[in-house]
Amino acid sequence: MTADAHADVATLSFEKALDELEKIVGRLERGDVPLEESIAIYERGEALKARCSQLLAEAEARIERITLSADGKPSGTAPLDPE
């Protein structure tokens, strides 16, 4: 499969991508999927894993940019890419 075959993955939320990835892992672990289909769903699983990793990295970056007041309490956020 090509990257175009997984284009929809780029629009999935973290929760939807993770849910689909868990289903793929379950199918592969059962071992009752024909070889060609196993390869196809494995490739989709890789695309889903990459999407989840991307979304987690973005969330982590946002969390790291939360600003703290002098007493250590959250006081707002700073831009991810300050100029």
Coordinates of all heavy atoms in Angstrom, one line a residue:
M1 N 0.8 -1.2 0.0 CA 0.0 0.0 0.0 C 0.9 1.2 0.0 O 1.9 1.3 0.6 CB -0.9 0.0 1.2 CG -2.1 -0.8 1.1 SD -3.2 -0.5 2.5 CE -4.6 -1.3 1.9
T2 N 0.4 2.3 -0.6 CA 1.1 3.5 -0.7 C 0.7 4.4 0.4 O -0.3 4.2 1.1 CB 0.9 4.2 -2.0 OG1 -0.5 4.6 -2.1 CG2 1.2 3.3 -3.2
A3 N 1.4 5.5 0.6 CA 1.0 6.5 1.6 C -0.4 7.1 1.3 O -1.1 7.4 2.2 CB 2.0 7.6 1.6
D4 N -0.8 7.2 0.0 CA -2.1 7.7 -0.3 C -3.2 6.8 0.2 O -4.3 7.3 0.6 CB -2.2 7.8 -1.9 CG -1.4 8.9 -2.5 OD1 -0.9 9.8 -1.7 OD2 -1.1 8.8 -3.7
A5 N -2.9 5.5 0.3 CA -3.9 4.6 0.9 C -4.2 4.8 2.3 O -5.2 4.4 2.9 CB -3.5 3.1 0.6
H6 N -3.3 5.5 3.0 CA -3.4 5.8 4.4 C -3.7 7.3 4.6 O -3.5 7.8 5.7 CB -2.2 5.3 5.2 CG -1.9 3.9 5.0 ND1 -2.8 2.9 5.4 CD2 -0.8 3.2 4.5 CE1 -2.3 1.7 5.1 NE2 -1.1 1.9 4.6
A7 N -4.1 8.0 3.6 CA -4.2 9.5 3.7 C -5.2 9.8 4.8 O -5.1 10.8 5.5 CB -4.6 10.1 2.4
D8 N -6.3 9.0 5.0 CA -7.3 9.3 6.0 C -6.7 9.3 7.4 O -7.3 9.9 8.3 CB -8.5 8.4 5.9 CG -8.1 6.9 6.2 OD1 -7.1 6.4 5.7 OD2 -8.8 6.3 7.0
V9 N -5.7 8.6 7.6 CA -5.1 8.5 9.0 C -4.7 9.9 9.5 O -4.8 10.1 10.6 CB -3.9 7.5 8.9 CG1 -3.1 7.5 10.2 CG2 -4.3 6.1 8.7
A10 N -4.2 10.7 8.6 CA -3.8 12.1 8.9 C -4.9 12.9 9.5 O -4.6 13.9 10.2 CB -3.1 12.8 7.7
T11 N -6.1 12.5 9.4 CA -7.2 13.3 9.9 C -7.9 12.7 11.1 O -8.8 13.3 11.7 CB -8.3 13.5 8.8 OG1 -8.8 12.2 8.5 CG2 -7.8 14.2 7.6
L12 N -7.4 11.5 11.5 CA -8.0 10.9 12.7 C -7.6 11.5 14.0 O -6.4 12.0 14.1 CB -7.6 9.4 12.7 CG -8.1 8.5 11.6 CD1 -7.5 7.1 11.8 CD2 -9.6 8.4 11.7
S13 N -8.5 11.5 15.0 CA -8.1 12.0 16.3 C -7.2 10.9 17.0 O -7.2 9.8 16.5 CB -9.4 12.2 17.2 OG -10.0 10.9 17.4
F14 N -6.6 11.3 18.0 CA -5.8 10.3 18.7 C -6.6 9.1 19.2 O -6.2 7.9 19.0 CB -5.1 11.0 20.0 CG -4.3 10.0 20.8 CD1 -3.0 9.6 20.4 CD2 -4.8 9.4 21.9 CE1 -2.3 8.7 21.1 CE2 -4.1 8.5 22.7 CZ -2.8 8.2 22.3
E15 N -7.7 9.4 19.7 CA -8.6 8.3 20.2 C -9.0 7.3 19.1 O -9.0 6.1 19.3 CB -9.8 8.8 21.0 CG -9.5 9.6 22.3 CD -8.9 11.0 22.1 OE1 -9.0 11.5 20.9 OE2 -8.4 11.5 23.1
K16 N -9.4 7.8 18.0 CA -9.9 7.0 16.9 C -8.7 6.2 16.3 O -8.8 5.0 16.0 CB -10.5 7.8 15.8 CG -11.9 8.3 16.2 CD -12.6 9.0 15.1 CE -14.0 9.5 15.6 NZ -14.8 10.1 14.6
A17 N -7.5 6.8 16.2 CA -6.4 6.1 15.6 C -5.9 5.0 16.6 O -5.6 3.9 16.2 CB -5.2 7.1 15.4
L18 N -5.9 5.3 17.9 CA -5.5 4.3 18.9 C -6.5 3.2 18.9 O -6.1 2.0 19.0 CB -5.4 5.0 20.2 CG -4.9 4.0 21.3 CD1 -3.5 3.5 21.0 CD2 -4.9 4.8 22.7
D19 N -7.8 3.4 18.8 CA -8.8 2.4 18.8 C -8.6 1.5 17.6 O -8.6 0.2 17.7 CB -10.2 3.0 18.8 CG -11.3 2.0 18.8 OD1 -11.3 1.1 19.8 OD2 -12.1 1.9 17.9
E20 N -8.4 2.1 16.4 CA -8.2 1.2 15.2 C -6.9 0.4 15.3 O -6.9 -0.7 15.0 CB -8.2 2.1 14.0 CG -8.2 1.3 12.7 CD -8.2 2.1 11.4 OE1 -8.7 3.3 11.5 OE2 -7.9 1.5 10.4
L21 N -5.9 1.0 15.9 CA -4.6 0.3 16.0 C -4.8 -0.8 17.0 O -4.2 -1.9 16.7 CB -3.5 1.3 16.6 CG -2.1 0.8 16.8 CD1 -1.6 0.1 15.5 CD2 -1.2 1.9 17.3
E22 N -5.5 -0.7 18.1 CA -5.7 -1.8 19.0 C -6.5 -2.9 18.3 O -6.2 -4.1 18.6 CB -6.5 -1.3 20.2 CG -5.6 -0.4 21.1 CD -6.4 0.2 22.3 OE1 -7.6 0.3 22.2 OE2 -5.7 0.7 23.2
K23 N -7.4 -2.6 17.5 CA -8.2 -3.6 16.8 C -7.2 -4.4 15.8 O -7.3 -5.6 15.7 CB -9.3 -3.0 16.0 CG -10.5 -2.6 16.9 CD -11.6 -1.9 16.2 CE -12.6 -1.3 17.2 NZ -13.6 -0.5 16.5
I24 N -6.4 -3.7 15.1 CA -5.4 -4.3 14.2 C -4.5 -5.2 15.0 O -4.3 -6.4 14.6 CB -4.6 -3.3 13.4 CG1 -5.5 -2.6 12.4 CG2 -3.4 -3.9 12.8 CD1 -4.9 -1.4 11.6
V25 N -4.0 -4.8 16.1 CA -3.1 -5.6 16.9 C -3.8 -6.9 17.4 O -3.3 -8.0 17.3 CB -2.5 -4.8 18.1 CG1 -1.8 -5.7 19.1 CG2 -1.6 -3.7 17.6
G26 N -5.1 -6.7 17.8 CA -5.8 -7.9 18.2 C -6.0 -8.9 17.1 O -5.9 -10.1 17.3
R27 N -6.3 -8.4 15.9 CA -6.5 -9.3 14.7 C -5.1 -10.0 14.4 O -5.1 -11.2 14.1 CB -6.9 -8.5 13.5 CG -8.4 -8.1 13.6 CD -8.8 -7.4 12.4 NE -8.9 -8.4 11.3 CZ -9.0 -8.1 10.0 NH1 -9.0 -6.8 9.6 NH2 -9.1 -9.0 9.1
L28 N -4.1 -9.3 14.4 CA -2.8 -9.9 14.1 C -2.4 -10.9 15.2 O -1.8 -12.0 14.9 CB -1.7 -8.8 14.0 CG -1.8 -8.0 12.7 CD1 -0.8 -6.8 12.8 CD2 -1.6 -8.8 11.4
E29 N -2.7 -10.6 16.5 CA -2.3 -11.5 17.5 C -3.1 -12.8 17.5 O -2.6 -13.9 17.9 CB -2.5 -10.8 18.9 CG -1.5 -9.8 19.2 CD -1.7 -9.1 20.6 OE1 -2.8 -9.2 21.1 OE2 -0.7 -8.5 21.1
R30 N -4.3 -12.8 17.0 CA -5.1 -14.0 16.9 C -4.5 -14.9 15.8 O -4.7 -16.1 15.9 CB -6.6 -13.6 16.5 CG -7.4 -13.2 17.6 CD -8.9 -13.2 17.3 NE -9.2 -12.5 16.0 CZ -9.5 -11.3 15.9 NH1 -9.5 -10.5 16.9 NH2 -9.9 -10.8 14.7
G31 N -3.9 -14.4 14.8 CA -3.2 -15.2 13.8 C -4.1 -15.8 12.8 O -3.7 -16.7 12.1
D32 N -5.4 -15.4 12.7 CA -6.3 -16.0 11.8 C -6.5 -15.1 10.5 O -7.5 -15.3 9.8 CB -7.6 -16.3 12.5 CG -8.3 -15.1 13.0 OD1 -7.7 -14.0 13.0 OD2 -9.4 -15.2 13.6
V33 N -5.6 -14.2 10.3 CA -5.8 -13.3 9.1 C -4.9 -13.8 8.0 O -3.7 -14.2 8.2 CB -5.4 -11.9 9.5 CG1 -5.5 -10.9 8.3 CG2 -6.2 -11.4 10.7
P34 N -5.4 -13.9 6.8 CA -4.5 -14.4 5.6 C -3.3 -13.5 5.5 O -3.3 -12.3 5.8 CB -5.5 -14.2 4.4 CG -6.8 -14.2 5.0 CD -6.8 -13.6 6.3
L35 N -2.2 -14.0 4.9 CA -1.0 -13.3 4.8 C -1.1 -12.0 4.2 O -0.6 -11.0 4.7 CB 0.0 -14.2 4.1 CG 1.4 -13.6 3.9 CD1 2.1 -13.3 5.2 CD2 2.3 -14.5 3.0
E36 N -1.7 -11.9 3.0 CA -1.8 -10.6 2.3 C -2.5 -9.6 3.1 O -2.1 -8.4 3.1 CB -2.4 -10.8 0.9 CG -1.6 -11.5 -0.1 CD -0.3 -10.7 -0.4 OE1 -0.3 -9.5 -0.5 OE2 0.8 -11.3 -0.4
E37 N -3.6 -10.0 3.7 CA -4.4 -9.1 4.6 C -3.5 -8.7 5.8 O -3.6 -7.5 6.2 CB -5.7 -9.7 5.0 CG -6.6 -8.7 5.7 CD -7.9 -9.3 6.1 OE1 -8.3 -10.4 5.7 OE2 -8.6 -8.6 6.9
S38 N -2.8 -9.6 6.3 CA -1.9 -9.3 7.5 C -0.9 -8.2 7.1 O -0.7 -7.3 7.9 CB -1.2 -10.5 7.9 OG -2.0 -11.5 8.5
I39 N -0.3 -8.3 5.9 CA 0.6 -7.3 5.5 C -0.1 -5.9 5.4 O 0.5 -4.9 5.8 CB 1.3 -7.7 4.2 CG1 2.2 -9.0 4.4 CG2 2.1 -6.6 3.6 CD1 2.6 -9.7 3.2
A40 N -1.2 -5.9 4.8 CA -2.0 -4.7 4.5 C -2.4 -4.0 5.9 O -2.2 -2.8 6.0 CB -3.2 -4.9 3.7
I41 N -2.9 -4.8 6.8 CA -3.3 -4.2 8.1 C -2.1 -3.8 8.9 O -2.2 -2.9 9.7 CB -4.4 -5.0 8.8 CG1 -3.8 -6.4 9.3 CG2 -5.6 -5.2 8.0 CD1 -4.8 -7.2 10.2
Y42 N -1.0 -4.6 8.8 CA 0.2 -4.2 9.5 C 0.7 -2.8 9.0 O 1.1 -2.0 9.8 CB 1.3 -5.2 9.3 CG 2.6 -4.9 10.0 CD1 2.8 -5.2 11.3 CD2 3.6 -4.2 9.3 CE1 4.0 -4.9 11.9 CE2 4.8 -3.8 9.9 CZ 5.0 -4.2 11.2 OH 6.1 -3.8 11.9
E43 N 0.7 -2.6 7.7 CA 1.1 -1.3 7.1 C 0.2 -0.2 7.6 O 0.7 0.9 8.0 CB 1.1 -1.4 5.6 CG 2.2 -2.2 5.0 CD 2.1 -2.4 3.5 OE1 1.1 -2.1 2.9 OE2 3.1 -2.9 3.0
R44 N -1.1 -0.5 7.7 CA -2.0 0.5 8.2 C -1.7 0.8 9.7 O -1.8 1.9 10.2 CB -3.5 0.1 8.0 CG -4.4 1.2 8.5 CD -5.8 1.1 7.9 NE -6.7 2.1 8.4 CZ -6.8 3.3 7.9 NH1 -6.1 3.7 6.9 NH2 -7.7 4.2 8.5
G45 N -1.4 -0.3 10.4 CA -1.1 -0.1 11.8 C 0.1 0.8 12.0 O 0.2 1.6 12.9
E46 N 1.1 0.6 11.1 CA 2.3 1.5 11.2 C 1.9 3.0 11.0 O 2.4 3.8 11.7 CB 3.3 1.1 10.2 CG 4.1 -0.2 10.5 CD 5.0 0.0 11.8 OE1 5.7 1.0 11.8 OE2 4.9 -0.9 12.7
A47 N 1.0 3.2 10.0 CA 0.6 4.6 9.8 C -0.2 5.1 11.0 O 0.0 6.3 11.4 CB -0.3 4.6 8.5
L48 N -1.0 4.3 11.6 CA -1.8 4.7 12.8 C -0.8 5.0 13.9 O -1.0 5.9 14.7 CB -2.8 3.6 13.2 CG -4.0 3.5 12.2 CD1 -4.7 2.1 12.4 CD2 -4.9 4.6 12.3
K49 N 0.2 4.1 14.1 CA 1.2 4.3 15.2 C 1.9 5.7 15.0 O 2.1 6.4 16.0 CB 2.2 3.2 15.2 CG 3.3 3.3 16.2 CD 4.2 2.2 16.1 CE 5.5 2.4 16.9 NZ 6.4 3.3 16.3
A50 N 2.3 6.0 13.8 CA 2.9 7.2 13.5 C 2.0 8.4 13.8 O 2.5 9.4 14.4 CB 3.4 7.3 12.0
R51 N 0.7 8.3 13.5 CA -0.2 9.4 13.8 C -0.3 9.6 15.3 O -0.3 10.7 15.8 CB -1.6 9.0 13.2 CG -2.7 10.0 13.5 CD -2.5 11.3 12.9 NE -3.7 12.2 13.2 CZ -3.6 13.5 13.1 NH1 -2.6 14.1 12.8 NH2 -4.7 14.2 13.4
C52 N -0.5 8.5 16.0 CA -0.6 8.6 17.5 C 0.7 9.2 18.1 O 0.6 10.1 18.9 CB -0.8 7.2 18.1 SG -2.5 6.6 17.8
S53 N 1.8 8.8 17.6 CA 3.1 9.4 18.1 C 3.2 10.9 17.8 O 3.6 11.7 18.6 CB 4.3 8.7 17.4 OG 4.4 7.4 17.8
Q54 N 2.7 11.3 16.6 CA 2.7 12.7 16.2 C 1.8 13.5 17.1 O 2.2 14.6 17.6 CB 2.3 12.9 14.7 CG 2.0 14.3 14.3 CD 1.2 14.4 13.1 OE1 0.7 13.5 12.5 NE2 0.9 15.7 12.7
L55 N 0.6 13.0 17.4 CA -0.3 13.7 18.2 C 0.2 13.8 19.6 O 0.0 14.8 20.3 CB -1.7 13.1 18.1 CG -2.4 13.2 16.8 CD1 -3.7 12.4 16.7 CD2 -2.7 14.7 16.5
L56 N 0.8 12.8 20.1 CA 1.3 12.8 21.5 C 2.5 13.8 21.6 O 2.6 14.5 22.6 CB 1.8 11.4 21.9 CG 0.7 10.4 22.3 CD1 1.3 9.0 22.5 CD2 0.0 10.9 23.5
A57 N 3.3 13.9 20.6 CA 4.4 14.8 20.6 C 3.9 16.2 20.6 O 4.4 17.1 21.3 CB 5.4 14.6 19.4
E58 N 2.9 16.5 19.8 CA 2.3 17.8 19.7 C 1.7 18.2 21.1 O 1.8 19.3 21.6 CB 1.2 17.9 18.6 CG 1.8 17.9 17.3 CD 0.7 17.7 16.2 OE1 -0.5 17.8 16.5 OE2 1.1 17.6 15.0
A59 N 1.0 17.2 21.7 CA 0.4 17.5 23.0 C 1.5 17.8 24.1 O 1.3 18.7 24.9 CB -0.5 16.3 23.4
E60 N 2.5 17.0 24.0 CA 3.6 17.2 25.0 C 4.3 18.6 24.8 O 4.6 19.2 25.8 CB 4.7 16.1 24.7 CG 5.8 16.2 25.8 CD 6.8 15.0 25.5 OE1 7.5 15.0 24.5 OE2 6.8 14.1 26.4
A61 N 4.4 19.0 23.6 CA 5.0 20.3 23.3 C 4.1 21.4 23.9 O 4.6 22.4 24.4 CB 5.2 20.5 21.8
R62 N 2.8 21.2 23.7 CA 1.8 22.2 24.3 C 1.9 22.3 25.8 O 1.9 23.3 26.4 CB 0.4 21.9 23.8 CG 0.2 22.2 22.4 CD -1.2 21.9 22.0 NE -2.2 22.7 22.7 CZ -3.5 22.4 22.9 NH1 -3.9 21.2 22.4 NH2 -4.3 23.1 23.5
I63 N 2.0 21.1 26.4 CA 2.1 21.0 27.9 C 3.3 21.7 28.4 O 3.3 22.4 29.4 CB 2.0 19.6 28.4 CG1 0.6 19.1 28.1 CG2 2.4 19.5 29.8 CD1 0.4 17.6 28.3
E64 N 4.4 21.5 27.7 CA 5.7 22.1 28.1 C 5.7 23.6 27.9 O 6.5 24.2 28.6 CB 6.8 21.5 27.2 CG 7.2 20.0 27.6 CD 8.2 19.4 26.6 OE1 8.6 20.1 25.7 OE2 8.5 18.3 26.9
R65 N 4.8 24.1 27.2 CA 4.8 25.5 27.0 C 3.8 26.2 27.9 O 3.6 27.4 27.9 CB 4.4 25.9 25.5 CG 5.3 25.3 24.5 CD 6.7 25.9 24.6 NE 6.7 27.3 24.6 CZ 7.7 28.1 24.9 NH1 8.8 27.6 25.4 NH2 7.6 29.4 24.8
I66 N 3.2 25.5 28.9 CA 2.4 26.2 29.9 C 3.3 27.0 30.8 O 4.3 26.5 31.3 CB 1.6 25.1 30.7 CG1 0.6 24.4 29.8 CG2 0.9 25.8 31.9 CD1 -0.1 23.3 30.5
T67 N 3.0 28.2 31.0 CA 3.8 29.1 31.8 C 3.3 29.0 33.3 O 2.1 28.8 33.5 CB 3.7 30.6 31.3 OG1 2.4 31.0 31.3 CG2 4.3 30.7 29.9
L68 N 4.3 29.2 34.1 CA 4.0 29.2 35.6 C 4.2 30.5 36.2 O 5.1 31.3 35.8 CB 4.9 28.1 36.3 CG 4.8 26.7 35.7 CD1 5.8 25.8 36.4 CD2 3.4 26.1 35.9
S69 N 3.4 30.8 37.2 CA 3.5 32.1 38.0 C 4.7 31.9 39.0 O 5.2 30.8 39.1 CB 2.2 32.4 38.7 OG 1.9 31.4 39.6
A70 N 5.0 32.9 39.7 CA 6.1 32.9 40.7 C 5.9 31.8 41.7 O 6.8 31.2 42.3 CB 6.2 34.2 41.3
D71 N 4.6 31.5 42.1 CA 4.3 30.5 43.1 C 4.2 29.1 42.5 O 3.8 28.2 43.2 CB 3.1 30.9 43.9 CG 1.8 31.0 43.1 OD1 1.9 30.8 41.8 OD2 0.7 31.2 43.7
G72 N 4.5 29.0 41.2 CA 4.5 27.6 40.6 C 3.2 27.2 40.0 O 3.0 26.0 39.6
K73 N 2.2 28.0 40.0 CA 0.9 27.6 39.5 C 0.8 28.0 38.0 O 1.3 29.0 37.6 CB -0.2 28.3 40.3 CG -0.3 27.8 41.7 CD -1.4 28.5 42.5 CE -1.4 27.9 43.9 NZ -2.4 28.6 44.7
P74 N 0.0 27.2 37.2 CA -0.1 27.6 35.8 C -0.8 29.0 35.7 O -1.7 29.3 36.4 CB -1.1 26.5 35.3 CG -0.9 25.4 36.2 CD -0.6 26.0 37.6
S75 N -0.2 29.8 34.8 CA -0.7 31.2 34.7 C -1.1 31.5 33.2 O -1.5 32.6 32.9 CB 0.4 32.2 35.1 OG 1.5 32.1 34.3
G76 N -0.9 30.5 32.3 CA -1.2 30.8 30.9 C -0.4 29.9 30.1 O 0.2 28.9 30.5
T77 N -0.3 30.2 28.8 CA 0.5 29.5 27.9 C 1.3 30.4 27.0 O 1.0 31.6 26.9 CB -0.4 28.6 26.9 OG1 -1.3 29.5 26.2 CG2 -1.2 27.6 27.7
A78 N 2.4 29.9 26.5 CA 3.3 30.6 25.6 C 3.2 30.0 24.2 O 2.9 28.8 24.1 CB 4.7 30.6 26.1
P79 N 3.4 30.7 23.2 CA 3.3 30.1 21.8 C 4.3 29.0 21.7 O 5.4 29.1 22.3 CB 3.6 31.3 20.9 CG 3.6 32.5 21.7 CD 3.7 32.1 23.2
L80 N 4.0 28.0 20.9 CA 4.9 26.9 20.6 C 6.2 27.4 19.9 O 7.3 26.9 20.1 CB 4.3 25.8 19.8 CG 3.2 25.0 20.5 CD1 2.6 24.0 19.6 CD2 3.8 24.3 21.7
D81 N 6.0 28.4 19.0 CA 7.1 28.9 18.2 C 7.2 30.4 18.4 O 6.9 31.2 17.5 CB 6.9 28.6 16.7 CG 6.9 27.1 16.4 OD1 7.7 26.3 17.0 OD2 6.0 26.7 15.7
P82 N 7.7 30.8 19.5 CA 7.8 32.3 19.8 C 8.8 32.9 18.8 O 9.8 32.3 18.5 CB 8.3 32.4 21.2 CG 8.9 31.1 21.5 CD 8.2 30.0 20.6
E83 N 8.4 34.1 18.3 CA 9.3 34.8 17.4 C 10.2 35.8 18.0 O 9.9 36.3 19.0 CB 8.5 35.4 16.3 CG 7.8 34.3 15.4 CD 6.9 34.9 14.3 OE1 7.2 36.1 13.9 OE2 6.0 34.2 13.9

